[in-house]
Amino acid sequence: MPWDFWLIFLVLAVVLPWRGLIRLRRILELPKVDTRERLTLYASTIAFQWLAVAITGWRVWVHGFTAAQLGLVVPDRARIAISSVAGILILAGLQWMNLRRIGRHPLQMRGVLQSLAERILPRTGVELLPYFALAVTAGVCEEFLYRGFAMAAMNQVSLATWSVVLFSSALFGLAHLYQGRAGIVSTLVLGTVFGLARIAYDSLVPVILWHIAVDVVAGIAGPRYLLRTSASDSEL
């Protein structure tokens, strides 16, 4: 495997999780996060992820990887369209129900998720549109990095399919280290589903759309079930 691919994997496995933890600590130290700080967070994350994709895309292009190897194709439009819509409905529904379930828990039982929700999730219409841009960015960029680049690079060293899926999913889970143990486990499971789907459909398109749907629902249902209930609890 080329040296620059190893460097990219080092960034995905170490630098990104470390960066996420540092940013989380800084955010949690703030007594309150206002609109300007949230918009700055969204903008910096969008810029960082597209920069990571640009550099990674440049290196895979230099090494001759094709669009098909990276999953940047739509081999069966009808099948992918149906699976994309079905996956969006299922995953968006599960995300919505999960956030509603968490919102029914007492405030002190929600842990890191509640602290993140209070500081990161959009609270106004001004924040919602940039958040949607962040959701689209995360869907495109993270799927390219973890299910596109990572899986294509590991396939080059003739690893078993299951190990390629688990490896990419582990990297994806580590990237969400800032969400705590529950966040790592949930993203590891979700990453495994995405990895298997990427192989089954030979395309990143369905998983990109599923990923976007999950994040968009978090921006809509999260404030509805976590922020309103936390405000009412604090008034009691």
Side-chain angles (χ1 to χ4, degrees), residues 189-226:
V189 172
L190 192 62
T192 302
V193 172
F194 286 175
L196 293 173
R198 188 264 184 257
I199 293 173
Y201 297 108
D202 201 22
S203 174
L204 285 180
V205 172
V207 294
I208 286 174
L209 295 176
W210 299 350
H211 192 147
I212 292 172
V214 169
D215 287 350
V216 166
V217 169
I220 297 173
R224 178 186 179 93
Y225 295 116
L226 302 181

Side-chain angles (χ1 to χ4, degrees), residues 9 15 19 21 28 87 114 159 193 195-196 205 210-211 215 218 220 235:
F9 279 126
V15 176
R19 177 177 177 270
L21 281 177
L28 293 180
Q114 182 65 36
L159 292 177
V193 172
L196 293 173
V205 172
W210 299 350
H211 192 147
D215 287 350
I220 297 173
E235 293 171 359

Side-chain angles (χ1 to χ4, degrees), residues 10-224:
L10 178 64
V11 171
L12 294 178
V14 178
V15 176
L16 284 182
W18 172 80
R19 177 177 177 270
L21 281 177
I22 295 299
R23 297 187 81 188
L24 172 63
R25 289 173 184 172
R26 290 175 180 172
I27 291 172
L28 293 180
E29 287 173 356
L30 298 173
K32 187 178 180 181
V33 177
D34 60 22
T35 293
R36 182 178 61 83
E37 290 167 330
R38 262 189 291 274
L39 293 180
T40 299
L41 176 65
Y42 297 164
S44 62
T45 303
I46 289 171
F48 181 84
Q49 291 205 354
W50 281 112
L51 177 62
V53 165
I55 294 173
T56 303
W58 166 47
R59 298 318 301 167
V60 296
W61 177 75
V62 166
H63 290 290
F65 277 65
T66 66
Q69 287 177 295
L70 297 168
L72 303 177
V73 293
V74 184
D76 187 337
R77 293 184 180 181
R79 182 166 175 256
I80 287 178
I82 293 171
S83 64
S84 296
V85 172
I88 287 172
L89 294 175
I90 293 171
L91 291 174
L94 290 174
Q95 174 78 316
W96 189 285
M97 290 188 291
N98 184 53
L99 290 170
R100 183 174 63 179
R101 176 186 62 82
I102 295 173
R104 291 173 176 170
H105 293 166
L107 196 61
Q108 62 274 16
M109 292 179 59
R110 300 178 193 171
V112 176
L113 178 62
Q114 182 65 36
S115 299
L116 283 172
E118 292 172 358
R119 290 165 173 80
I120 293 178
L121 292 181
R123 292 173 176 260
T124 66
V126 172
E127 297 173 5
L128 191 59
L129 287 179
Y131 175 86
F132 285 164
L134 174 62
V136 172
T137 293
V140 174
C141 295
E142 292 180 12
E143 292 311 313
F144 174 80
L145 291 172
Y146 296 102
R147 255 67 65 181
F149 161 74
M151 293 184 66
M154 297 310 295
N155 279 329
Q156 292 296 297
V157 295
S158 302
L159 292 177
T161 300
W162 65 267
S163 62
V164 172
V165 171
L166 288 181
F167 178 77
S168 64
S169 300
L171 289 176
F172 187 56
L174 284 174
H176 297 79
L177 185 64
Y178 66 92
Q179 294 182 7
R181 184 180 301 175
I184 295 175
V185 173
S186 62
T187 51
L188 176 63
V189 172
L190 192 62
T192 302
V193 172
F194 286 175
L196 293 173
R198 188 264 184 257
I199 293 173
Y201 297 108
D202 201 22
S203 174
L204 285 180
V205 172
V207 294
I208 286 174
L209 295 176
W210 299 350
H211 192 147
I212 292 172
V214 169
D215 287 350
V216 166
V217 169
I220 297 173
R224 178 186 179 93

